[in-house]
Amino acid sequence: MRSFLFVPADSEKKLAKGAGAGADALIVDLEDSVALSNKEAARKSAVAYLKTADRTGPKLVLRINALDTPFWEADLEAVVPAKPDMIVVPKTISGACVKKVGDRIDRLGGGDIGIGCVATETAASLFTLGTYAGSHPRLAFLTWGAEDLAAALGARDNKDEQGNYTGPYRLARTLTLLGAVAAGVAPIDGIYKDFRDEAGLEAEARAAIRDGFTGKMAIHPAQVAIINAVFTPGEADLAHARAVIEAFEKAGDVGVVALDGVMLDIPHLKQAKALLSRAAKAN
Ligand code: COA
Ligand code: MG
């Protein structure tokens, strides 16, 4: 999945609008976009939405409240019977959090509901990105967040004067990528909060796919088309991948070939095959 659009669960208007935004998944949010006083109402609205939504549209994902709040268990008990495709858990601090939520979903009879984690929102969570591997079979993706991490660190900002993430956030992003790949699940890039800045979003999405992320979070419908376009392999990418595979096939049983003056060895062949297989799955 390329694009995940956050929609506050207590906004009927945004829920209605989100469905038509073209996202691969909607994340109906019970956490940070909902005021404390509205948690109960948001939960009810999320369940009603899940029960009536057109399930042939985007995947429906539910973000519950964090495990250190009094809400998360009631969130799960309410939403699991309404069968979301996935549950997102914010502020996870290790694979143990996935196990806790995964076991609870099992006990609630949650079928094949997957789990995604926002895995970098506290300082402690950066030391444990390697623990997600093998944590629970439901784990489907890891993403990262720079806003809560900045708040946790007491930072004035998470970007420098040029608009680039500073060290702690670049580290969080990198560890999320590594932790997700090590766990065999999808690495999903975090949000781009300046939702009117389309060029900035596109540049950040391009940097993400270059490094290995397979999708990106969105907070506004206008961000979805940009994210989908960047994370859909273009004709030139596909043609290059086919040319790499063909070069190896022509060369016979060898580990290294040359293509247009560039050395290609086995990792490049793997990348080309992975790209074509991802493109085939997306169709
Ligand atoms: N999902 C669905 N619809 C959305 C939306 C979203 N995330 N964000 C905006 N819209 C709708 C608006 O309701 C508006 O609808 P209208 O044309 O019928 O009035 C339209 O898209 C244009 O919105 P716009 O006026 O540009 O933005 P806004 O000021 O209404 O909203 C935000 C800005 C940031 C408050 C809003 O985008 C939002 O709530 N985003 C999600 C926040 C979130 O979930 N955060 C938690 C994860 S980090
Ligand atoms: Mg948050």
Side-chain angles (χ1 to χ4, degrees):
M1 279 187 281
R2 304 160 300 177
S3 52
F4 294 71
L5 173 62
F6 273 106
V7 187
D10 59 352
S11 168
E12 253 174 58
K13 181 175 142 183
K14 287 178 191 167
L15 285 169
K17 190 127 194 159
D24 292 337
L26 295 184
I27 305 185
V28 178
D29 186 28
L30 298 175
E31 201 222 3
D32 278 350
S33 68
V34 174
L36 266 187
S37 57
N38 223 15
K39 294 290 184 191
E40 198 94 6
R43 197 184 283 144
K44 283 202 181 110
S45 153
V47 171
Y49 181 72
L50 279 171
K51 285 189 172 155
T52 54
D54 168 14
R55 301 306 291 263
T56 62
K59 297 278 181 214
L60 297 183
V61 181
L62 222 297
R63 181 163 78 168
I64 61 171
N65 285 283
L67 305 188
D68 62 354
T69 69
F71 305 117
W72 74 274
E73 291 174 287
D75 288 345
L76 275 187
E77 280 159 23
V79 303
V80 165
K83 298 191 170 53
D85 293 291
M86 276 191 233
I87 295 286
V88 168
V89 190
K91 302 182 178 66
T92 53
I93 43 175
S94 75
C97 298
V98 185
K99 174 147 178 41
K100 192 168 177 177
V101 173
D103 287 350
R104 185 60 64 93
I105 297 175
D106 290 348
R107 286 203 293 281
L108 291 168
D112 58 359
I113 295 175
I115 295 179
C117 297
V118 193
T120 66
E121 299 191 291
T122 67
S125 62
L126 291 205
F127 294 95
T128 56
L129 270 304
T131 65
Y132 287 85
S135 58
H136 198 283
R138 292 186 185 278
L139 185 64
F141 73 81
L142 295 185
T143 188
W144 69 288
E147 307 310 315
D148 283 276
L149 181 57
L153 298 182
R156 295 288 291 275
D157 202 347
N158 49 26
K159 292 190 168 173
D160 64 17
E161 293 74 12
Q162 284 75 44
N164 299 312
Y165 279 118
T166 59
Y169 313 95
R170 291 208 300 272
L171 179 66
R173 174 184 182 277
T174 301
L175 288 171
T176 301
L177 175 64
L178 300 177
V181 174
V185 301
I188 304 296
D189 195 26
I191 64 155
Y192 188 77
K193 73 177 176 191
D194 301 340
F195 59 86
R196 306 271 183 235
D197 176 9
E198 297 189 351
L201 169 68
E202 184 176 337
E204 196 169 278
R206 288 201 183 285
I209 194 172
R210 186 167 62 223
D211 284 350
F213 287 96
T214 57
K216 187 166 174 62
M217 298 283 158
I219 48 152
H220 190 283
Q223 296 185 319
V224 170
I226 296 168
I227 293 174
N228 285 348
V230 170
F231 284 93
T232 305
E235 242 337 289
D237 303 315
L238 295 172
H240 181 257
R242 285 189 210 104
V244 170
I245 292 168
E246 199 182 295
F248 274 94
E249 281 170 357
K250 271 196 190 144
D253 191 16
V254 296
V256 64
V257 296
L259 180 68
D260 301 331
V262 175
M263 184 279 288
L264 299 172
D265 61 2
I266 300 301
H268 305 107
L269 179 60
K270 275 192 199 158
Q271 279 169 320
K273 286 182 174 167
L275 184 89
L276 290 184
S277 123
R278 264 219 301 275
K281 275 188 212 148
N283 287 328

